[in-house]
């Protein structure tokens, strides 16, 4: 079987979403910024709450309403691929809390190249309550994360063979992200 890449050097977390509010997240944050605590900021705050203190690079692939034009995801993935090629000592983790039903061979190829270069790619399995894969989570080289509630599948979460793992998505559902920092978020999650 395949082995999971081991971390040896500097780690950069890429967040492909709506952008990140650097003031809310703190630390070294580059890329596409937004004001306020939208979903990209939530992902970054969750990483900080879990103890990640390294660099975050935000790539906006969604519009203000959270809709993702397919071409934007591919552009973001190409940007990460180029970054990896030009920063050979850097380990990368890619979070993609986005998805669509469209399976794109070029997108899958770029994801495969990032993976072959040691990248770890993680994506939300989707929130349509279906067994059909959502992409990028449905690609083989991506870790697909479904949502659970009280140890069972959340009613909205996608499921099936493309899902690799589940985690509580309900814990953060009612948190007021406009008033919370990463330490408070960790306390809410725990």
């Amino acid at each position: 079987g395949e082995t999971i890449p081991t971390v040896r050097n500097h780690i950069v977390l890429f967040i492909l979403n709506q952008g990140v509010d650097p003031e809310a997240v703190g630390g070294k944050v580059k890329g596409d910024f937004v004001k306020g605590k939208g979903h990209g900021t939530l992902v970054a705050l969750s990483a900080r709450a879990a103890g990640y203190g390294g660099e975050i690079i935000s790539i906006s692939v969604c519009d203000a309403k959270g809709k993702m034009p397919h071409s934007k995801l591919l552009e973001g993935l190409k940007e990460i691929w180029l970054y990896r090629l030009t920063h050979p000592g850097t380990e990368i983790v890619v979070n993609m809390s986005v998805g669509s039903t469209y399976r794109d061979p070029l997108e899958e190829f770029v994801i495969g190249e990032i993976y072959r270069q040691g990248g770890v790619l993680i994506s939300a399995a989707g929130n349509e309550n279906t067994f059909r894969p959502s992409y990028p989570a449905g690609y083989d080289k991506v870790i697909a994360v479904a949502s659970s509630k009280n140890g069972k599948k959340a009613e909205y979460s996608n499921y099936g063979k493309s899902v690799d793992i589940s985690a509580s998505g309900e814990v953060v559902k009612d948190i007021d992200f406009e008033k919370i920092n990463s330490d408070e978020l960790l306390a809410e999650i725990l």
Side-chain angles (χ1 to χ4, degrees):
E2 296 183 58
T3 58
I4 297 175
T6 56
V7 176
R8 295 173 298 278
N9 300 308
H10 177 72
I11 301 170
V12 174
L13 171 61
F14 284 89
I15 298 175
L16 278 73
N17 209 296
Q18 289 176 302
V20 170
D21 183 341
E23 290 178 25
V25 173
K28 189 171 184 181
V29 182
K30 294 180 179 177
D32 298 326
F33 298 148
V34 295
K35 190 70 179 154
K37 295 183 182 175
H39 199 270
T41 301
L42 165 61
V43 172
L45 279 171
S46 297
R48 292 283 192 243
Y52 177 71
E55 182 178 0
I56 293 174
I57 299 178
S58 169
I59 301 175
S60 181
V61 297
C62 298
D63 62 22
K65 295 179 182 177
K67 301 293 181 196
M68 178 193 67
H70 174 72
S71 61
K72 293 288 284 181
L73 180 60
L74 184 57
E75 287 173 24
L77 289 166
K78 287 179 182 177
E79 189 176 328
I80 293 168
W81 186 20
L82 180 60
Y83 182 94
R84 184 64 182 99
L85 289 171
T86 58
H87 296 80
T90 302
E91 303 294 337
I92 60 171
V93 175
V94 181
N95 176 284
M96 302 171 281
S97 295
V98 296
S100 89
T101 57
Y102 180 65
R103 183 177 191 140
D104 179 349
L106 184 54
E107 188 176 276
E108 188 170 16
F109 172 80
V110 174
I111 282 172
E113 289 302 305
I114 294 168
Y115 177 86
R116 279 185 273 296
Q117 294 167 9
V120 177
L121 300 104
I122 304 159
S123 181
N127 296 328
E128 295 79 34
N129 190 29
T130 182
F131 66 91
R132 291 183 187 92
S134 176
Y135 297 95
Y139 299 130
D140 289 341
K141 304 301 184 203
V142 176
I143 300 169
V145 182
S147 183
S148 62
K149 178 180 180 180
N150 299 323
K152 297 184 180 187
K153 183 186 93 60
E155 60 274 2
Y156 54 83
S157 183
N158 289 5
Y159 55 94
K161 292 192 299 184
S162 66
V163 173
D164 296 301
I165 192 169
S166 67
S168 180
E170 294 292 314
V171 172
V172 296
K173 191 174 181 182
D174 297 321
I175 296 174
D176 183 352
F177 290 101
E178 292 300 322
K179 298 179 182 174
I180 198 165
N181 63 36
S182 60
D183 292 333
E184 293 166 329
L185 179 62
L186 181 58
E188 290 287 338
I189 291 171
L190 296 177

